[in-house]
Amino acid sequence: MLSALRVSYELENPKEVKRAMSALPLEGIRIISFTNGIAGPYAGRLLCDFGAEVIVVETRKRLDTFRRPRLVYPKDTEPDFDKSWSWAEYNRGKMSISVDLKKEEGRELIKRLVELSDAAIDNFGARVLRGFGLDYWGLREVKSDFIMVSMQGLGQTGPEHEYVLWGMNLMPLAGLTYVWGFPDIPTPTGSGGYPTDYLAGVTAALMIMAAVEYRNRTGKGQFIDMAQVENAATIMESVYMDYTVNGRLQERRGNHSPYAAPYGAYPCMGEERWCAIEVRNDDEWRRFCGALGNPPWTEEPRFATVLGRLDNRDELDRRVEEWTANRTHLEVMEVLQKAGVPAAAVLDGQDQANCPQLAHRGTYVRIDHPKMGVASYPGVVMRLAESPGVARRPALLGEHTAYVLGELLGLSEAEIRHLEEAEVLV
Amino acid sequence: MTASNKRRNGAPLSPYRVIEVADEKGVYCGKLLAEFGADTVKIERPGGDETRSIPPFAGDDPHPEKGFFFLYYNRHKRGITLNIECRDGQEIFKRLVSDADVVVESLSPGHLDSLGLGYSALAEANPSLIMTSITGFGQNGPYRDFKTTELISFAMGAMFQCGEPSRPPSVSPILMALHNTALHAALATLIALRHRSVTGAGQHVDIAIHDVSATSIGEGMATRWLNFEEIVTRHGSQHTTAPAAIYPCKDGHAYVVGGLVPGNAPGSWPSFVEWIGSPEVLAEPVWEDPNFRRQNVDVLNPYITEHTMKYTKAELYKEGQARHFPIAPVQTPADFFDSPQTKARGFFVEGDHPVVGRQLYPGSPYNLAVPWEAIERPAPLIGQHNAEVYCGELGLSSEELCALSASGVI
Amino acid sequence: MGALSDLKVIEWGEFISGPYCGKLLADLGAEVVKVEKPGYGDRSRSYGPFPQDLPHTEKSGLYLYLNTNKLGVTLNWASVTGAEILKELVTQADILIENHSPREVEELGFDYRTLSKAHPGLVMTSITPFGQSGPYHDYKACDLVSFHVSGLAHMNPSGGVDDIQEEPPLRGKSLQADFLAGLSGAIATMSAVFARHATGQGRHVDLSQHEALASVIRRDLGAATYEGLERIRVKGAQPSTETLLGQCRDGQFFVVCNTDRFWANWVEVMGNPEWAASELFQDRAARRENWDAAKIMIEEWAKDQSLGELVRAAQARRVPCMPVNTVKESTNSEQLAARNYFAEVDREEVGRVRFPGAPYKLSQTPWQVQRPAPLLGEHNEEVLCGRLGYSRQDLAVMRAEGVI
């Protein structure tokens, strides 16, 4: 199977190349990916890094969000769905086949592929696969122990589940946006990026692994109907239990903590440079004062206790800012961490790219791409000592159609040509 | 596989025994494994784990059996007390692990090694053991010994892109970096279990919150720089396309998205313009380009705001969705709890606990077609399963148990 | 209302000597706030005994007994906030009882000199193994060590062995040394309080457990210091003559016959056997010399006797003779029951607990158990919020920080 891909492993790490030649732990698991955007693809990426064969079902007739010319990144590239770096990032390592599911023959192909597969990931709209007869209940007819995870925003049941939702709608629905931001700004902010997509993706991958384990022992498949919004709520216990048990509605509290001071992001030298600092108890306060050289203000009795520092937080923050403003964010972090105080520079992308710890861990890897050339990608960060994963290159749209139809499904050249002419393989 | 497990087939991880010695960096990993049926035994120091002190508390009573964090993340686990810093404790730990499949730990890198309880020591006696170590920065590297909290992890992983441009970057109000990493740790554990099922060999799994965060919740920041020398920065709720941001309603806010669908179909830009009353300015064709809309969002916003302010959150949700716009209310936690969607899915579940009684907890975010036999038990009281584990499974006499208690081992 | 209801005590102590001192005051009605470390609490909680031998920090018999009638709070006194709170509590109290090492106490700034500056009326009782001064004052010790260093163990065993020189020194059972130190501390504390009534000036009570135990062997110490004699461990010179630990058919008894009258009456109890008239036993000197023989004869008679009858007969003739009770028999003693010696109280987690009461009765303000031993941190809110004015949110912060 590995030979079927033109691969170019991490150019700078021959050890990884050698390792890649040994068997990967998820070899033999085949997953069909009915995915779009980030959440579904992220699930597949985590699994294909460890050897699962993840086949993304695409079509030129309805491109993945991140392949669409107008939404392709970078913005000034010529509109070419194979030159979308975003798609490449989320889907590196997988195979891609192009099949029009609107065509009956296309759906038949999928069903035949299901016979040879273990699981599917679905984050299309709730009605899509159902409409094609390719939802779990349809696919189970084909393979009784099939495993499927559907991961729509609100799941597959409930009065709102067919609503149209994008990644940025999920945190607001989960109640997370409401509690994220500054109390004196009327509009809540929420997070940047798409954390809920990644949370959903890793959960989906986890569910598939659990279901495979279960199936191997019992012979039973599984349908996991996951709601991404609920998935976000599962890590909001402090907010929800305060509500269900204490009847309290939590409000936004900005960069303050009710339990620690100093706490927050303190401005450092330069534009948009911040260092996060957190002092939780007497020991860390003593270390913090020591790191600052024990200036007289730190000996004021009102700052000696956590309660005192919380009561005098504004003044405290002002003092801390006076110190951080004259230092770089990395310097503040190093000085404080060396003294045993929790501190971290708020890293921007360039900082992360240059982060010595991430470099040490080999977090970013260089991978080649037939059309885009060599670029940097996130590597494999789950480090299994005996069975490490490998980051492999992104596929061109439909690059593996021939392989899947020919080698896996055993179709003849003539049959494949017929499907091409019938515009099934677009 | 342990002999002591009774429910061998009921759930994915029923045959497995997990020993957890973890703080807030690892408890969720243990919970996930327990939810999949593993017999998960949590080790706390005598007197109770520090995580029992994490607020808030039921009834605002700072009691070690009433902290929400502990109550939630330790459901379905058994709990024992053990001081692994002393020799007796270390011997007992080894005995426990010799019969276990997985150890989940989040102690400082090297600490277990210093106690003679590191992976290589334990694997000698149990070569099929999987140890999943979760730390802030990993088992090695220049930042290995840095102290880790959610604030620290989030700051380095994803914070720069969060918040309002007019304010400092905004920290997560929940333990997002930590629990996201725990999910990855659980996944990695299952991958290691699969490897073991094929080869018979265990291994050491090294999970670092920093690089997990940088490649998931904070993904795209470093690679944008590496590939395009662009810095991803924060824009409040405003997305890279427009309209896609939070707008005010009569009784709160909603996240409003429009124009993602091409042409004139429902969900498209022209239909959005029509919905908001076809303001003349927006009739110009140049607005059909989402990049243009984004660059000129300040012009666009007042028109949208004027429209959204005519509705309540719930009304806007309904009206917007009827027109295929991805619109959703910024729900308060109460809204989410009371929402008919949440209730229909049965997301909140009831649990009974000896001290806090019957309460509602967030449940699983998924429904299953094929029921897995769940272990249903509340978070353990301090030392609740000491007798069961030490006497019942390790064969200690109650006299020995009392001696261990008197000398502070348990 | 108890005899000491006007007194407020802070008990900052561990295990037995400090807490027993606190208990004695609490049981007589003083308000005693017991301060324990968060999480683990007082070590006696882990000591047992436990119901069904299952260790549980709220079910330790030793802890439950020693800490009746007290309020319980948790405080990490090594933290800045914890130390502040402890000082505040002490300032509001009359008495501080503590049994920590002098060095630790001074490092924390809780030494008497520092505390009395802010609170001149404070009575501070420090119970330590060796006192606050002298070359041993920083040494660690426990009950076993105290028994040996005081010389008390050296005097044991005093009988019942063949060659005493072969036997190692033997300590007493049941952690008596610790209890004795606590008891002595209570007496000294009350003296200091009494003295304070006159002048308003507090005191430091410096109690050495070593000395408390040495006081118990004062006769032997006196012999050493006064007569220059050393009481060596000798069999025979000790009262193992003219006394007998004897076996009846249904139990053991102990009888003392070290006067002529006792001996004569005892002979009557035995039914005036012929052998007792022998000149071997005609006076004390003779009896002491021939006690082994007497013992054999008495034991021969006693083995067929019923314990209860034997004791009643002896007591009727005013001979000092009592049954040797096992612990179980002691708890069922009709004498103790008649005096309502044992107390009972209901306690969360355990149910009904029964334990020794007080060995004295006051004609008014009787000794009583007002409340059982506190759960760990049970009165945090009552004391910290109710009396010191902290809010519940403050308590959550303190808990998160590990102060409580």
Side-chain angles (χ1 to χ4, degrees):
Chain A
M1 182 212 72
L2 281 174
S3 61
L5 297 169
R6 262 191 306 120
V7 293
S8 189
Y9 300 109
E10 287 89 357
L11 301 177
E12 290 157 327
N13 200 334
K15 243 202 290 191
E16 291 297 321
V17 175
K18 185 168 174 226
R19 274 232 189 93
M21 296 308 167
S22 60
L24 294 165
L26 301 188
E27 199 134 22
I29 296 180
R30 182 172 292 120
I31 299 174
I32 305 174
S33 190
F34 300 106
T35 53
N36 176 81
I38 300 176
Y42 185 62
R45 184 178 100 193
L46 289 169
L47 298 172
C48 85
D49 282 351
F50 285 89
E53 190 177 279
V54 179
I55 302 169
V56 187
V57 177
E58 308 196 67
T59 174
R60 288 164 184 73
K61 297 255 181 87
R62 195 185 158 88
L63 294 167
D64 183 303
T65 310
F66 290 106
R67 281 198 191 273
R68 287 184 210 162
R70 283 198 173 156
L71 296 176
V72 152
Y73 190 86
K75 300 232 182 292
D76 53 358
T77 36
E78 45 183 277
D80 178 347
F81 50 64
D82 274 329
K83 280 191 172 181
S84 164
W85 186 82
S86 307
W87 189 93
E89 185 176 43
Y90 305 134
N91 292 280
R92 61 159 178 66
K94 304 173 196 172
M95 297 186 175
S96 167
I97 61 175
S98 54
V99 178
D100 184 1
L101 298 179
K102 287 206 167 110
K103 299 248 159 57
E104 166 95 30
E105 285 172 297
R107 299 195 288 278
E108 283 309 308
L109 280 177
I110 297 300
K111 285 185 183 168
R112 289 184 59 180
L113 185 56
V114 165
E115 282 170 21
L116 304 173
S117 305
D118 299 279
I121 306 170
D122 159 36
N123 81 327
F124 288 161
R127 281 174 285 205
V128 174
L129 288 183
R130 208 186 293 162
F132 292 138
L134 296 176
D135 62 349
Y136 172 72
W137 308 104
L139 296 182
R140 200 176 71 158
E141 299 290 309
V142 174
K143 189 169 197 273
S144 61
D145 65 350
F146 199 62
I147 294 163
M148 186 147 176
V149 59
S150 287
M151 46 192 293
Q152 282 73 36
L154 289 172
Q156 296 247 324
T157 59
E160 297 163 18
H161 85 273
E162 289 185 351
Y163 282 9
V164 181
L165 294 173
W166 285 77
M168 40 282 207
N169 298 125
L170 302 186
M171 275 189 292
L173 282 170
L176 184 53
T177 303
Y178 183 80
V179 295
W180 194 325
F182 294 89
D184 58 327
I185 300 181
T187 311
T189 311
S191 176
Y194 310 92
T196 45
D197 280 53
Y198 291 94
L199 287 165
V202 65
T203 305
L206 179 63
M207 298 308 297
I208 289 182
M209 287 303 301
V212 167
E213 173 81 31
Y214 183 72
R215 182 206 62 189
N216 287 349
R217 260 195 0 265
T218 66
K220 295 187 191 161
Q222 184 59 276
F223 175 47
I224 300 119
D225 164 15
M226 189 220 317
Q228 292 191 35
V229 170
E230 290 173 16
N231 196 45
T234 55
I235 60 167
M236 293 175 61
E237 89 294 342
S238 60
V239 174
Y240 279 110
M241 290 186 70
D242 219 5
Y243 183 70
T244 62
V245 178
N246 290 338
R248 184 186 295 130
L249 192 61
Q250 282 192 13
E251 299 290 337
R252 298 188 282 287
R253 47 184 201 225
N255 282 344
H256 288 148
S257 161
Y259 310 112
Y263 179 101
Y266 295 87
C268 300
M269 200 155 69
E271 284 266 331
E272 288 292 320
R273 288 287 172 242
W274 314 84
C275 188
I277 301 173
E278 181 171 353
V279 171
R280 299 170 289 185
N281 52 47
D282 293 341
D283 177 60
E284 289 176 355
W285 173 246
R286 266 192 293 273
R287 291 168 181 271
F288 178 76
C289 298
L292 268 58
N294 292 309
W297 72 262
T298 59
E299 318 222 332
E300 288 176 39
R302 60 181 171 151
F303 294 132
T305 63
V306 173
L307 288 175
R309 292 194 291 278
L310 287 169
D311 274 339
N312 296 283
R313 183 164 49 198
D314 291 340
E315 176 66 19
L316 175 67
D317 282 346
R318 208 177 54 74
R319 292 286 196 172
V320 175
E321 283 173 25
E322 273 171 14
W323 183 74
T324 60
N326 297 320
R327 290 163 175 78
T328 69
H329 60 333
L330 293 172
E331 192 192 328
V332 171
M333 172 174 74
E334 302 264 356
V335 166
L336 291 180
Q337 283 284 6
K338 195 154 164 219
V341 179
V346 178
L347 302 180
D348 68 11
Q350 183 177 11
D351 292 329
Q352 286 180 336
N354 294 331
C355 175
Q357 182 66 15
L358 293 177
H360 177 92
R361 302 276 287 176
T363 305
Y364 301 108
V365 297
R366 308 274 292 161
I367 304 180
D368 200 1
H369 181 278
K371 285 197 172 177
M372 294 193 292
V374 175
S376 293
Y377 291 80
V380 180
V381 294
M382 298 185 295
R383 299 175 201 283
L384 278 64
E386 299 304 318
S387 57
V390 178
R392 293 170 294 184
R393 80 156 170 84
L396 300 174
L397 200 162
E399 183 175 341
H400 303 92
T401 311
Y403 161 75
V404 171
L405 266 53
E407 281 192 47
L408 286 188
L409 299 188
L411 266 58
S412 69
E413 296 254 357
E415 286 169 308
I416 295 176
R417 229 176 313 133
H418 158 75
L419 289 168
E420 279 169 357
E421 281 157 17
E423 292 199 352
V424 174
L425 303 180
V426 294
Chain B
M1 299 210 176
T2 68
S4 57
N5 198 286
K6 295 180 185 82
R7 243 184 264 96
R8 285 191 157 270
N9 278 342
L13 301 185
S14 300
Y16 301 122
R17 159 77 66 99
V18 176
I19 305 292
E20 177 195 303
V21 53
D23 62 5
E24 63 254 31
K25 298 191 287 290
V27 283
Y28 191 35
C29 180
K31 179 180 196 233
L32 291 162
L33 300 177
E35 278 175 4
F36 292 143
D39 171 28
T40 307
V41 176
K42 180 179 180 64
I43 294 181
E44 300 183 58
R45 62 174 186 192
D49 205 67
E50 270 180 7
T51 57
R52 289 174 178 275
S53 296
I54 297 176
F57 301 91
D60 285 335
D61 177 12
H63 185 287
E65 303 288 3
K66 294 188 184 180
F68 292 145
F69 182 92
F70 193 89
L71 285 170
Y72 177 71
Y73 286 105
N74 296 290
R75 292 185 75 214
H76 318 313
K77 299 177 192 171
R78 296 198 286 161
I80 61 177
T81 52
L82 186 66
N83 176 11
I84 63 172
E85 305 293 322
C86 69
R87 290 294 295 270
D88 281 278
Q90 284 147 21
E91 289 311 306
I92 292 174
F93 184 85
K94 283 187 203 158
R95 286 184 65 189
L96 285 169
V97 170
S98 69
D99 200 28
D101 301 283
V102 176
V103 169
V104 174
E105 67 94 6
S106 65
L107 304 178
S108 325
H111 188 71
L112 279 181
D113 278 313
S114 73
L115 300 178
L117 302 177
Y119 172 71
S120 34
L122 298 176
E124 253 186 68
N126 184 355
S128 63
L129 178 73
I130 291 158
M131 177 180 273
T132 297
S133 297
I134 307 169
T135 56
F137 297 91
Q139 298 291 314
N140 42 55
Y143 293 177
R144 184 189 97 136
D145 295 323
F146 276 17
K147 277 192 168 177
T148 300
T149 66
E150 172 65 27
L151 173 62
I152 268 53
S153 305
F154 196 73
M156 296 181 80
M159 191 162 157
F160 191 82
Q161 64 180 348
C162 299
E164 299 291 337
S166 61
R167 294 294 176 96
S170 178
V171 73
S172 48
I174 58 171
L175 304 185
M176 174 165 285
L178 264 49
H179 295 317
N180 175 55
T181 304
L183 277 160
H184 287 77
L187 172 62
T189 306
L190 294 196
I191 296 174
L193 276 169
R194 169 144 177 117
H195 171 77
R196 187 179 89 166
S197 69
V198 173
T199 66
Q203 62 184 304
H204 194 188
V205 177
D206 171 5
I207 306 287
I209 302 172
H210 187 25
D211 49 29
V212 169
S213 304
T215 55
S216 55
I217 56 177
E219 185 172 59
M221 289 170 57
T223 43
R224 285 287 168 95
W225 171 261
L226 286 166
N227 294 322
F228 307 107
E229 296 198 351
E230 281 182 25
I231 294 291
V232 172
T233 180
R234 60 194 180 285
H235 302 284
S237 64
Q238 176 62 53
H239 199 259
T240 51
T241 185
I246 293 177
Y247 292 89
C249 305
K250 272 197 209 161
D251 63 343
H253 296 81
Y255 202 106
V256 176
V257 182
L260 291 179
V261 172
N264 292 337
S268 66
W269 170 248
S271 74
F272 187 84
V273 171
E274 196 200 315
W275 184 39
I276 67 172
S278 299
E280 248 187 77
V281 171
L282 303 182
E284 314 237 341
V286 75
W287 287 102
E288 283 172 30
D289 175 10
N291 293 324
F292 180 83
R293 292 199 295 271
R294 175 63 182 90
Q295 276 149 31
N296 297 281
V297 72
D298 292 332
V299 175
L300 189 51
N301 278 343
Y303 295 106
I304 301 177
T305 302
E306 202 191 315
H307 179 73
T308 58
M309 280 299 289
K310 296 183 185 140
Y311 301 86
T312 65
K313 293 181 291 192
E315 286 165 353
L316 194 67
Y317 190 29
K318 192 153 160 254
E319 294 292 326
Q321 286 291 341
R323 289 167 173 74
H324 291 241
F325 295 117
I327 290 178
V330 174
Q331 299 200 119
T332 68
D335 291 335
F336 175 77
F337 181 82
D338 291 326
S339 144
Q341 173 67 19
T342 306
K343 292 211 180 309
R345 299 270 300 175
F347 175 64
F348 286 93
V349 297
E350 201 176 70
D352 200 2
H353 182 274
V355 174
V356 298
R358 281 189 191 286
Q359 301 293 354
L360 287 173
Y361 297 79
S364 301
Y366 50 81
N367 294 327
L368 299 177
V370 178
W372 288 337
E373 263 179 65
I375 300 173
E376 187 60 48
R377 62 159 72 95
L381 303 174
I382 298 172
Q384 182 172 344
H385 299 96
N386 277 356
E388 205 174 290
V389 172
Y390 292 127
C391 302
E393 292 173 21
L394 291 191
L396 295 180
S397 69
S398 34
E399 252 178 40
E400 287 169 309
L401 207 64
C402 292
L404 290 174
S405 168
S407 50
V409 178
I410 65 169
Chain C
M1 287 299 286
L4 302 182
S5 293
D6 285 341
L7 288 180
K8 286 186 161 31
V9 182
I10 302 298
E11 177 199 300
W12 177 40
E14 266 273 303
F15 206 49
I16 297 177
S17 62
Y20 187 54
C21 180
K23 171 189 167 67
L24 293 169
L25 304 182
D27 285 352
L28 286 168
E31 183 202 86
V32 177
V33 176
K34 180 184 176 66
V35 178
E36 297 182 73
K37 262 210 158 72
Y40 196 62
D42 187 322
R43 192 159 64 89
S44 62
R45 289 174 177 276
S46 302
Y47 199 77
F50 303 98
Q52 286 102 50
D53 284 332
L54 295 175
H56 188 296
T57 52
E58 296 294 356
K59 299 186 189 184
S60 160
L62 181 63
Y63 172 82
L64 290 172
Y65 170 65
L66 286 172
N67 296 287
T68 48
N69 288 317
K70 300 176 190 171
L71 300 171
V73 301
T74 52
L75 271 186
N76 176 9
W77 50 79
S79 73
V80 174
T81 305
E84 265 181 26
I85 291 174
L86 184 53
K87 280 210 178 108
E88 247 180 283
L89 288 173
V90 167
T91 311
Q92 292 181 13
D94 299 292
I95 299 167
L96 169 64
I97 300 168
E98 62 88 9
N99 67 348
H100 299 280
S101 81
R103 189 188 334 180
E104 187 190 348
V105 169
E106 185 158 342
E107 275 170 7
L108 290 168
F110 277 91
D111 51 291
Y112 176 72
R113 211 167 35 163
T114 308
L115 292 180
S116 60
K117 280 206 189 98
H119 186 12
L122 177 69
V123 170
M124 176 169 173
T125 297
S126 300
I127 305 172
T128 54
F130 297 102
Q132 300 285 317
S133 54
Y136 295 1
H137 79 280
D138 260 331
Y139 283 16
K140 285 187 98 165
C142 60
D143 176 270
L144 178 66
V145 170
S146 300
F147 256 101
H148 285 277
V149 73
S150 63
L152 186 51
H154 191 74
M155 315 303 293
N156 287 333
S158 61
V161 296
D162 288 327
D163 183 355
I164 196 168
Q165 301 302 340
E166 292 295 311
E167 304 294 329
L170 189 64
R171 75 152 178 202
K173 246 201 112 28
S174 305
L175 303 167
Q176 292 173 42
D178 287 355
F179 278 93
L180 185 59
L183 178 58
S184 309
I187 298 165
T189 303
M190 290 315 301
S191 313
V193 170
F194 196 71
R196 188 184 71 164
H197 276 314
T199 65
Q201 184 69 34
R203 268 142 183 75
H204 190 196
V205 174
D206 169 5
L207 193 116
S208 152
Q209 183 156 324
H210 176 200
E211 291 165 8
L213 275 186
S215 306
V216 171
I217 58 166
R218 54 200 167 282
R219 183 170 71 149
D220 304 296
L221 271 184
T225 56
Y226 188 59
E227 298 175 54
L229 293 174
E230 184 179 340
R231 290 249 188 206
I232 54 177
R233 306 163 80 215
V234 168
K235 179 188 156 190
Q238 298 300 336
S240 60
T241 57
E242 301 181 287
T243 69
L244 172 66
L245 180 70
Q247 186 74 44
C248 294
R249 67 162 190 265
D250 59 345
Q252 288 184 310
F253 66 96
F254 193 86
V255 64
V256 178
C257 305
N258 59 356
T259 69
D260 287 322
R261 197 167 52 98
F262 288 158
W263 174 250
N265 290 346
W266 176 248
V267 167
E268 267 184 42
V269 171
M270 289 192 290
N272 293 309
E274 269 188 45
W275 64 264
S278 158
E279 60 187 10
L280 290 175
F281 311 116
Q282 63 187 358
D283 57 30
R284 283 198 71 196
R287 286 197 291 276
R288 277 208 294 275
E289 203 176 313
N290 299 301
W291 189 248
D292 285 343
K295 268 171 61 174
I296 291 169
M297 301 307 293
I298 298 169
E299 279 162 352
E300 179 65 28
W301 167 80
K303 74 179 198 309
D304 297 320
Q305 306 303 313
S306 121
L307 177 64
E309 280 172 27
L310 182 154
V311 170
R312 263 194 297 280
Q315 284 292 341
R317 289 165 176 77
R318 319 289 291 143
V319 176
C321 174
M322 285 301 289
V324 176
N325 281 335
T326 61
V327 171
K328 184 167 181 183
E329 286 160 350
S330 197
T331 57
N332 291 333
S333 152
E334 56 176 347
Q335 173 65 10
L336 295 178
R339 298 235 332 143
N340 289 319
Y341 173 65
F342 288 99
E344 273 187 14
V345 73
D346 282 321
R347 171 45 156 67
E348 220 176 301
E349 299 277 5
V350 197
R352 178 143 289 216
V353 193
R354 188 162 164 256
F355 44 75
Y360 40 76
K361 296 197 163 0
L362 278 63
S363 54
Q364 293 187 43
T365 65
W367 182 97
Q368 53 180 284
V369 181
Q370 306 269 29
R371 62 172 98 230
L375 303 169
L376 186 63
E378 185 176 342
H379 303 101
N380 275 354
E381 195 175 324
E382 192 180 315
V383 174
L384 300 178
C385 299
R387 300 198 193 173
L388 300 189
Y390 289 100
S391 70
R392 281 180 136 188
Q393 174 65 12
D394 291 338
L395 253 49
V397 175
M398 286 195 257
R399 164 67 62 167
E401 195 199 341
V403 170
I404 64 171

